[in-house]
Amino acid sequence: MEHSIALVTGATSGLGQAAARALAKEGWREIIITGRSLAKIQETAARLAAETQRPVFTPLELELDTPSSVQSALAELIKQGRPIDFLLLNAGMVPGKTRVLTAAGIEASQAPLIGHHQLTVGLLRANLLSPNARIVIAGAEPARGGVPMFSYTDVPAFAAKSYNGDRKAAITALLHSWPNVKYVPNNAYADAKLIIAWWVAALARRLPSGMAVYAVSPGAATDTKVVRNAGPALKYLFIPIANLIPGMNQTPETAARRYLQASQFGTDVSGQFFASAQGKFSGPIEAQRQPHLHDRASQEAAWQAVVAVSGVDVSSAAT
């Protein structure tokens, strides 16, 4: 893949900023970085340029929770008219103790996927992804299961119990965190990352030949703002304990390298979810083989639910 133009969402701090810095060091010609506040992302761009001695950072205001902001960002990218080679969908959030919904009625930890979907589809429709573009979206270890304090919803069982087996309806309920969804912050986060893994698999089947997409868990990197809204059990119990165990934590810079590693993967593994080995939270990443991740019915249901909530599909993309 040509090291030309990359776009990184959520780059004002943490993993996104670390990834943008690493891309500059690797010689990328332009790195578009996004943040909720134009002033803050402009400040970040100037600081990164000074740190790396490479004035290659282009700030772009993007509030993923707000469809009008996504559309404004897309309009600016269309105006620039330069195809993106590496799209890093990094922005995300660990939900807090209290259920929070966006203005569109989407649960807070689910909202970044909706915005990322709208952004990705918009870029595809505008032919603003290069023919061999790579898309990486931030996943997380809880999507595979087996992570203490995190459990994802058994969607087929939930669908059978509440929606006559309709998995799209069940996933839509999770996206909105409707009243029949018991809100547990860590479980909501696990659900959000599982839906991302399914969305990636479904998107891979819809991309033009040559392009590829992957979900990548950056692994444990607690020195970021992603856990700013996390509950006390996670912040003051699980994370401090994890920090004491060798191999259970890593710097944002090390974690962000996983994103860049995936940008070099081939189309043969497009649609897969990469994370640490079972029982680990750092170290080498590998394609996850758990059966629930490869359930095509759930993958397609997740895609259709995201399409319904976001209002956009790729049916007319790249035409």
Side-chain angles (χ1 to χ4, degrees), residues 116-251:
H116 281 145
H117 175 87
Q118 292 166 332
L119 175 66
T120 303
V121 171
L123 291 171
L124 282 165
R125 287 180 170 172
N127 289 317
L128 282 178
L129 292 178
S130 65
N132 296 310
R134 294 294 182 264
I135 304 167
V136 170
I137 186 169
E141 314 285 338
R144 71 182 183 202
V147 177
M149 300 178 64
F150 291 85
S151 298
Y152 58 80
T153 297
D154 183 335
V155 168
F158 178 45
K161 178 181 178 182
S162 302
Y163 295 100
N164 295 317
D166 186 339
R167 297 190 195 185
K168 174 187 172 184
I171 294 171
T172 301
L174 294 175
L175 292 171
H176 287 292
S177 193
W178 281 338
N180 64 331
V181 175
K182 182 180 179 182
Y183 179 74
V184 178
N186 291 0
N187 296 355
Y189 180 74
D191 285 338
K193 296 304 183 179
L194 175 56
I195 293 170
I196 282 174
W198 285 336
W199 176 83
V200 161
L203 174 59
R205 291 191 282 269
R206 291 162 168 82
L207 286 177
S209 176
M211 295 186 193
V213 60
Y214 324 96
V216 176
S217 168
T222 56
D223 188 22
T224 71
K225 292 185 178 180
V226 72
V227 296
R228 61 189 178 275
N229 295 321
L234 185 61
K235 280 206 278 191
Y236 304 118
L237 178 63
F238 181 74
I239 290 175
I241 291 174
N243 288 343
L244 297 174
I245 303 173
M248 290 289 282
N249 199 10
Q250 57 193 344
T251 66

Side-chain angles (χ1 to χ4, degrees), residues 40-83:
K40 191 166 185 179
I41 198 63
Q42 288 174 333
E43 176 188 329
T44 300
R47 184 172 65 254
L48 285 171
E51 288 176 4
T52 62
Q53 295 296 299
R54 296 199 67 228
V56 295
F57 299 94
T58 301
L60 179 67
E61 184 176 14
L62 174 62
E63 172 54 81
L64 290 166
D65 296 352
T66 307
S68 61
S69 177
V70 177
Q71 290 305 311
S72 295
L74 281 168
E76 180 60 30
L77 292 168
I78 290 170
K79 180 180 177 182
Q80 294 176 9
R82 300 190 296 276

